[in-house]
Amino acid sequence: MHPVVPYVLAAVLFGIGLYGVLVRRNLLLLLMAVELLLNAVNLILVTADVSTVGVPRSGAVFALFVIVLAAAEVGVGLALILQLYRLRQTVAVDRVDIGDGAGRADVEAGADGVDADQSVEGRR
């Protein structure tokens, strides 16, 4: 197989992943788009490793390293998304309020003078 085909496929995967990162507002879809980006990079690394003559084989090692990093990233990312969903009841990037710095502990303690149940209902 000519090495142009995997390069083009990697470029298409990278483009789809970049589009997903720029357009999507759901955190799960953002995580999947980042995975597409990493897989495109892996495809380029492996293709360059196979198609280059006279250079020590290091592309496969880098690809394996990227796979390990991607697995760790998915674990941490899914844990963060799950915790965010438990706290905010949404995983939409546009609906996450991070500007005020007030945590849920302040709301539950009644620091703002509003009952915790009413405050949570008001956020939904």
Side-chain angles (χ1 to χ4, degrees):
M1 179 179 358
H2 200 271
V4 171
V5 175
Y7 285 131
V8 171
L9 182 62
V12 170
L13 282 176
F14 195 84
I16 293 171
L18 189 62
Y19 176 78
V21 167
L22 294 177
V23 171
R24 295 294 182 178
R25 295 295 164 234
N26 187 327
L27 283 175
L28 287 174
L29 295 177
L30 279 173
L31 192 63
M32 290 173 60
V34 170
E35 291 300 317
L36 272 179
L37 292 173
L38 291 174
N39 285 328
V41 170
N42 278 340
L43 187 57
I44 289 173
L45 288 173
V46 171
T47 303
D49 185 30
V50 172
S51 63
T52 305
V53 178
V55 178
R57 302 287 180 209
S58 59
V61 175
F62 282 124
L64 186 62
F65 183 69
V66 170
I67 289 171
V68 169
L69 285 179
E73 176 246 338
V74 164
V76 171
L78 285 177
L80 288 174
I81 290 171
L82 183 63
Q83 187 63 26
L84 182 68
Y85 180 75
R86 286 181 180 166
L87 289 175
R88 307 288 180 177
Q89 302 297 319
T90 184
V91 290
V93 175
D94 295 338
R95 294 183 182 171
V96 175
D97 184 24
I98 56 173
D100 62 349
R104 188 173 170 91
D106 292 339
V107 172
E108 290 177 353
D112 55 353
V114 177
D115 188 26
D117 292 334
Q118 293 175 350
S119 178
V120 171
E121 290 297 323
R123 289 183 177 196
R124 293 183 186 168

